[in-house]
Amino acid sequence: ISSCPIASYLGEERDTHLSYYVFVSSWMTKMESILSKEQRVDKFAEDLSNRCNVFIQGFLYAYSLSTIVKTTMNLYMSMQKPMTKTSVKALCRLVELLKAIEHMFYRRSMVVADSVTHIAQHLQYQALHSISVAKKRVISDKKYSEQRLDVLSALVLAENTLNGPSTKQRRLIVSLALSVGTQMKTFKDEELIPLQLVLKKLDLISELTERVRAQCDCRFLYWHRAVFPIYLDDVYENAVDSARLHYMFSALRDCVPAMMQARHLESYEVLLECYDKEIMEVLNKHLLDKLCKEIEKDLRLSVHTHLKLDDRNPFRVGMKDLAHFFFLNPIRFFNRFIDIKAYVTHYLDKTFYNLTTVALHDWATYSEMRNLATQRYGLSMTEAHLPSQTLEQGLDVLEIMRNIHVFVSRYLYNLNNQIFIERTSNNKHLNTINIRHIANSIRTHGTGIMNTTVNFTYQFLRKKFYIFSQFMYDEHIKSRLIKDIRFFREVKDQNDHKYPFERADKFNRGIRKLGITPDGQSYLDQFRQLISQIGNAMGYVRMIRSGGLHCCSSAIRFVPDLEDIVNFEELVKEEGLSEETQKAARQLDSVLGDLARNFAEGTEYFKMLVDVFAPEFRSPKNMHLRNFYIIVPPLVSICIVGTSTYFF
């Protein structure tokens, strides 16, 4: 049998665990090699001897490791001395090696069970051969005595007992028989020592499974579970060896059978529940939560590399590959499986979803982080299925009406889709206002707000039209427009009624010479903004009408036939109901009538606008407004990237 090194375990835990790591790894490799090798008939005895030696060597390693760990931990506790982190890590490594030995026997248990029977028979044969030689020696001696007869009877009893299964009782009888049979120098010294060794092997091989399980039992860890947090911190820092978690949890499970024998509580379930809760809290705090935060941090820094936050050069700051944790099989503990990969995936899914709902404009960032988590760590992330934008939040009609001057300057109008979009924003999103928002406001405040809003907007337009008229009446502007009109009339036949681009550009340069604002805008630029604001205000009036129709259509959709609406007041009177009911019916008829009329006709706000402003625009005192058409080419020329020579 190979000698098993027994290190001095007080103060030398680090060297011990490194030595045993090499010894146990070598033994596991050797055992795997021997058990995987096909047995040959011509070398069957040699193969059985090799298997016997490797089984016993594994048991002796387990015995040594168990003794070192138990003795060291109990001595520290008895002497009330604190254990250093290095010692804790070393002892936990020894516990892992202990469970690795047990796992090796368990994993190859089918081959071990088959081999143990043959090994026991082979050892019995060796013992019988030695006893047979000694028995012949006793028989050959012709001197008769009762003592010699007792020795011979003991040898015969040992032979007969060995010819059978190697049970505990038979081995005990063999031991007792040989204690008598070895008297009177029956065996030579070179024969007795091998026989004793064979019998010791037979004892060990016959109870190999039970003895290995007893030596690898780590129920003593229940009293030393304070080392578990330090162990988890070490696992987190050395992620490459994360697979050893299985061995430690296997050791922690050994505490359960002992706790099930507890009698100081009404039910041992209470003790098991407390133990389970304590271990899981430590695991979450010292490993799982730290792992989740570190993965999230790594994903965020990787996605935001353009911000140049921290130095992430692995050659300078080091690198910790946490992906090893996600290749682990689920760890069994009590009635659950601890799946580290699923735990981290759930945490990231939950975090990304919640943060996306808070700030929808960050949806692209979190989507990129999901993809990166899949590529870098192999995590199967769940798509959030949240909208990448929202169109259901908009300004209220009353808020717009009160700040119509701000609204028309900050929003741009899409004529085709009837939607207002914010020009710029300090945030990462732009506000939008569409027909649904207007309809919701009208439903909230009532249809009466429509006329109020339109009247307020018309008052705003009246002020803007006054500024518009003042600009057109300015001598500098009017004289240039008259000059351009005269020029256009002279050359329109030659240019096929097209206005030259150069002429519009010349007009722009001339206006710019009159002066510019501090932000670099000419008078024509400000006039262009004025026209845009007038257009936005008119677009808002148009949207008010569309929103009103949308609101009416939503409200009246419950009326079965718009062409034949029942008069509820008459029906109530026919039934002779109370005055209050008749009043309610009259009110209902009035509401239905208003809805039907508004839905069928609507209010032509633009026609009202034309009726109000047209007479004033056509009056002789506003003749200068008729020159507006000739200023259109200079207004739009700044927006044209020129390949054209003429305006059509």
Side-chain angles (χ1 to χ4, degrees), residues 508-544:
N508 267 310
R509 292 197 301 269
I511 296 297
R512 184 168 286 274
K513 291 178 181 179
L514 296 177
I516 58 175
T517 60
D519 55 353
Q521 289 187 337
S522 66
Y523 292 117
L524 198 61
D525 295 329
Q526 298 178 44
F527 186 61
R528 185 185 300 106
Q529 292 178 359
L530 174 67
I531 295 174
S532 297
Q533 293 176 9
I534 293 174
N536 287 344
M538 296 175 68
Y540 179 59
V541 172
R542 181 188 181 205
M543 187 175 286
I544 289 291

Side-chain angles (χ1 to χ4, degrees), residues 258-377:
M259 285 189 285
M260 294 175 68
Q261 305 300 321
R263 295 292 180 267
H264 63 288
L265 297 173
E266 293 183 2
S267 173
Y268 64 83
E269 295 288 346
V270 179
L271 188 61
L272 292 179
E273 184 179 348
C274 293
Y275 179 67
D276 179 25
K277 182 179 179 182
E278 179 184 351
I279 296 299
M280 290 308 300
E281 286 180 352
V282 173
L283 177 66
N284 291 335
K285 180 180 179 181
H286 290 269
L287 181 62
L288 297 182
D289 292 344
K290 290 168 63 176
L291 185 61
C292 291
K293 296 291 175 54
E294 187 63 27
I295 295 296
E296 182 185 2
K297 177 183 175 182
D298 179 61
L299 294 176
R300 289 187 182 280
L301 293 178
S302 298
V303 170
H304 296 88
T305 50
H306 59 283
L307 299 180
K308 299 180 181 178
L309 299 173
D310 296 326
D311 186 5
R312 306 190 70 232
N313 189 329
F315 294 102
R316 287 197 292 268
V317 299
M319 182 178 179
K320 187 158 48 180
D321 188 3
L322 300 176
H324 293 281
F325 286 106
F326 306 127
F327 298 123
L328 287 180
N329 292 326
I331 303 169
R332 187 171 69 87
F333 188 63
F334 278 88
N335 297 324
R336 70 166 63 87
F337 280 94
I338 304 170
D339 191 340
I340 297 178
K341 183 176 181 180
Y343 185 92
V344 176
T345 302
H346 174 71
Y347 169 82
L348 293 177
D349 279 334
K350 179 182 177 182
T351 303
F352 293 168
Y353 183 90
N354 291 339
L355 293 178
T356 304
T357 56
V358 172
L360 284 174
H361 53 267
D362 285 336
W363 68 271
T365 301
Y366 290 112
S367 179
E368 188 176 350
M369 289 170 67
R370 285 190 190 90
N371 295 334
L372 187 60
T374 302
Q375 295 172 6
R376 182 172 294 179
Y377 298 108

Side-chain angles (χ1 to χ4, degrees), residues 72-184:
T72 304
M73 286 188 167
N74 291 332
L75 280 175
Y76 271 115
M77 180 176 288
S78 175
M79 298 168 65
Q80 296 294 314
K81 285 191 175 182
M83 199 181 301
T84 63
K85 285 189 176 182
T86 305
S87 300
V88 171
K89 294 175 185 178
L91 289 171
C92 289
R93 285 281 188 173
L94 295 181
V95 171
E96 292 169 1
L97 293 176
L98 195 60
K99 301 308 291 185
I101 292 173
E102 182 184 29
H103 179 71
M104 185 66 189
F105 276 107
Y106 176 78
R107 192 167 60 85
R108 306 291 292 184
S109 57
M110 296 294 292
V111 182
V112 171
D114 182 61
S115 300
V116 161
T117 305
H118 296 292
I119 293 171
Q121 291 178 353
H122 182 63
L123 292 173
Q124 286 173 327
Y125 165 76
Q126 291 178 343
L128 285 170
H129 178 72
S130 298
I131 293 173
S132 176
V133 172
K135 189 176 72 170
K136 289 179 181 179
R137 186 178 296 115
V138 173
I139 294 174
S140 62
D141 191 353
K142 301 301 182 181
K143 294 179 181 179
Y144 175 79
S145 66
E146 291 185 3
Q147 187 177 7
R148 189 175 297 278
L149 182 61
D150 291 341
V151 170
L152 181 60
S153 300
L155 293 177
V156 172
L157 177 61
E159 274 189 328
N160 294 334
T161 308
L162 284 172
N163 283 313
S166 180
T167 62
K168 190 173 184 180
Q169 291 80 6
R170 284 176 176 267
R171 294 196 306 275
L172 178 59
I173 293 172
V174 170
S175 178
L176 292 173
L178 288 180
S179 64
V180 176
T182 54
Q183 296 178 7
M184 299 179 63

Side-chain angles (χ1 to χ4, degrees), residues 185-199:
K185 297 185 179 180
T186 310
F187 293 89
K188 296 179 180 179
D189 291 341
E190 62 271 14
E191 294 175 349
L192 184 59
I193 294 176
L195 177 61
Q196 292 174 343
L197 186 59
V198 166
L199 293 176

Side-chain angles (χ1 to χ4, degrees), residues 232-245:
L232 290 178
D233 291 338
D234 180 54
V235 172
Y236 177 75
E237 294 298 328
N238 300 278
V240 179
D241 297 333
S242 57
R244 55 198 176 105
L245 274 171

